[in-house]
Amino acid sequence: MSKKKSRLKLAQEQAESAIKKTNDKISELGTHTSQLYNELNILQKLFDDIRNVPSEKRFEYEKLKKIRLNWKQQAEKIESDYKNAVAKNAGKGAAGVGAGIAVAALGPTAAMGIATTFGIASTGTAISTLSGAAATNAALAWLGGGALAAGGGGMAAGKAFLALAGPVGWAIGGVALVSSGLLLWKGKSDQNRLEEIFTLISKRDVKSYELAIVEINERISRIKDESQKLNCASERTRTFGLDYSLMTEAQQYELGSYVNLMNSSTQLLVNPIIGLQPKYDISDLKEYIAFSKKKFDDKQKSLIVSLSNLLYKINLDEKDKILLWKSFKRNKKFLSSIEMSKQDFEFSIIGTVTDALEHKYRLEKG
């Protein structure tokens, strides 16, 4: 007779199922972003062929071209980095522990879906305040459960824990890592409470995935609409001739409206899916530091951000905090992943995280 699954195990399985559904939707998104990108390039080429366009108008659509090129390069980098990391970690168990996109499936189209999901702005930084490199890491964490983003062989490799942020990392590898010490607990009530906390975390992340799927569906719908409009715009532009100065005022005005269309379409490529962004990021921590006047080194900052994502919107009393602290302190895999000794992992870290989260909640309420 098979052993009954624990609540935590069931919640983690739900998270894995939600991840798979989200993955399928991201792949579908990639198909549509690829089409949108092609339609934008067709219209852009038509604009490039037109002579005597006023410099300020040309500057506007040239800027959009650079944004799209940057997005395309980001997609190519994600694809390349992922395949390189998989090759590097072959046999180490790092690949495939994440969201379940097979290497063969991560072609240019799927990579475009990933690039849009995690978002980059014209400067190469993610609109969600992640840096360009961090956006790529977030994508790799999604694809490889954090292990690939950390560049190591599995979750226990140095800094693997710190590579995780938001629902992306936590439901995939984070909860498995930090809850791996549960079996070490002798007290049944403490073990049950810890399991309950990690179950709540998994369920919270499932909701994030479900909302992200709704958001991606809305994005796909808008992309389809914009792609059709771009196609019509290209057809119209072909009839205007190749000299801006010889066009009628109405045609010039129409071209201007197509630049606006290219702008809105480009934003659909580069704006991230909000539901898959970290719940707590470095900008939140900077606000907390300014408020509290506390000082942290880079490792502490990374740890606070990661733990804040883990515990976001999870209600904890003082007993829970002590329980979590002891659980982390006993967990060798966890300590290894944050490159911290048992002695250095002080209770004040948990206190800082909960304090930082309370500050964010207050700001969210306004």
Side-chain angles (χ1 to χ4, degrees), residues 268-280:
L268 292 176
L269 287 181
V270 302
N271 282 344
I273 299 301
I274 303 301
L276 290 176
Q277 299 306 298
K279 298 292 187 280
Y280 193 97

Side-chain angles (χ1 to χ4, degrees), residues 224-235:
K224 283 180 177 177
D225 185 51
E226 296 276 298
S227 294
Q228 198 170 10
K229 287 178 181 176
L230 286 165
N231 185 269
C232 292
S234 294
E235 290 299 316

Side-chain angles (χ1 to χ4, degrees), residues 246-315:
L246 297 178
M247 293 179 189
T248 66
E249 190 175 333
Q251 288 173 330
Q252 291 175 352
Y253 180 82
E254 196 169 330
L255 278 184
S257 72
Y258 294 157
V259 174
N260 292 336
L261 176 62
M262 282 196 281
N263 186 15
S264 62
S265 297
T266 299
Q267 297 313 311
L268 292 176
L269 287 181
V270 302
N271 282 344
I273 299 301
I274 303 301
L276 290 176
Q277 299 306 298
K279 298 292 187 280
Y280 193 97
D281 60 30
I282 194 66
S283 65
D284 294 313
L285 182 58
K286 284 178 180 176
E287 285 186 1
Y288 172 68
I289 289 170
F291 166 77
S292 66
K293 303 293 189 285
K294 293 181 179 179
K295 292 183 179 179
F296 307 103
D297 61 31
D298 288 344
K299 184 190 283 189
Q300 289 171 325
K301 286 177 183 176
S302 295
L303 181 58
I304 292 166
V305 169
S306 292
L307 285 175
S308 294
N309 274 290
L310 175 69
L311 300 175
Y312 183 79
K313 296 293 184 183
I314 303 297
N315 293 322

Side-chain angles (χ1 to χ4, degrees), residues 59-356:
F59 173 77
E60 198 173 340
Y61 61 76
E62 287 290 342
K63 184 173 70 173
L64 293 172
K65 187 200 287 189
K66 287 179 182 175
I67 293 172
R68 290 195 300 275
L69 179 62
N70 191 37
W71 173 82
K72 182 71 161 50
Q73 289 171 340
Q74 182 88 344
E76 289 168 352
K77 187 174 188 328
I78 288 166
E79 184 185 3
S80 171
D81 284 2
Y82 177 66
K83 289 182 177 178
N84 288 340
V86 168
K88 180 181 174 184
N89 288 285
K92 295 181 182 177
V97 299
I101 289 185
V103 182
L106 189 70
T109 303
M112 285 181 179
I114 294 284
T116 294
T117 298
F118 296 101
I120 53 167
S122 56
T123 57
T125 58
I127 292 168
S128 62
T129 72
L130 287 172
S131 69
T136 304
N137 277 348
L140 291 174
W142 172 260
L143 292 166
L148 298 179
M155 285 305 304
K159 293 191 176 67
F161 176 84
L162 304 181
L164 302 171
V168 170
W170 283 118
I172 299 167
V175 174
L177 174 67
V178 296
S179 64
S180 61
L182 282 177
L183 297 176
L184 302 173
W185 287 86
K186 293 178 181 177
K188 194 66 180 171
S189 63
D190 286 347
Q191 187 176 336
N192 286 343
R193 178 53 187 157
L194 281 169
E195 186 172 298
E196 191 177 336
I197 291 169
F198 293 125
T199 299
L200 289 171
I201 291 167
S202 290
K203 287 184 174 180
R204 175 204 62 197
D205 288 344
V206 167
K207 286 182 181 176
S208 290
Y209 291 123
E210 289 170 348
L211 289 172
I213 288 171
V214 171
E215 190 181 348
I216 294 170
N217 277 330
E218 290 172 352
R219 180 71 63 90
I220 288 171
S221 178
R222 288 187 62 197
I223 286 173
K224 283 180 177 177
D225 185 51
E226 296 276 298
S227 294
Q228 198 170 10
K229 287 178 181 176
L230 286 165
N231 185 269
C232 292
S234 294
E235 290 299 316
R236 288 282 298 158
T237 303
R238 287 188 182 96
T239 68
F240 292 171
L242 298 176
D243 192 332
Y244 186 86
S245 62
L246 297 178
M247 293 179 189
T248 66
E249 190 175 333
Q251 288 173 330
Q252 291 175 352
Y253 180 82
E254 196 169 330
L255 278 184
S257 72
Y258 294 157
V259 174
N260 292 336
L261 176 62
M262 282 196 281
N263 186 15
S264 62
S265 297
T266 299
Q267 297 313 311
L268 292 176
L269 287 181
V270 302
N271 282 344
I273 299 301
I274 303 301
L276 290 176
Q277 299 306 298
K279 298 292 187 280
Y280 193 97
D281 60 30
I282 194 66
S283 65
D284 294 313
L285 182 58
K286 284 178 180 176
E287 285 186 1
Y288 172 68
I289 289 170
F291 166 77
S292 66
K293 303 293 189 285
K294 293 181 179 179
K295 292 183 179 179
F296 307 103
D297 61 31
D298 288 344
K299 184 190 283 189
Q300 289 171 325
K301 286 177 183 176
S302 295
L303 181 58
I304 292 166
V305 169
S306 292
L307 285 175
S308 294
N309 274 290
L310 175 69
L311 300 175
Y312 183 79
K313 296 293 184 183
I314 303 297
N315 293 322
L316 303 170
D317 59 24
E318 284 306 308
K319 186 181 177 183
D320 291 336
K321 292 173 191 176
I322 294 169
L323 206 54
L324 273 173
W325 170 61
K326 287 181 178 178
S327 175
F328 291 146
K329 204 174 173 71
R330 292 180 182 185
N331 191 326
K332 290 180 181 178
K333 283 185 179 179
F334 169 75
L335 291 172
S336 172
S337 74
I338 61 173
E339 297 180 332
M340 191 174 278
S341 69
K342 187 176 181 179
Q343 290 72 29
D344 290 339
F345 192 80
E346 299 175 350
F347 180 70
S348 60
I349 293 171
I350 301 295
T352 297
V353 167
T354 53
D355 195 33

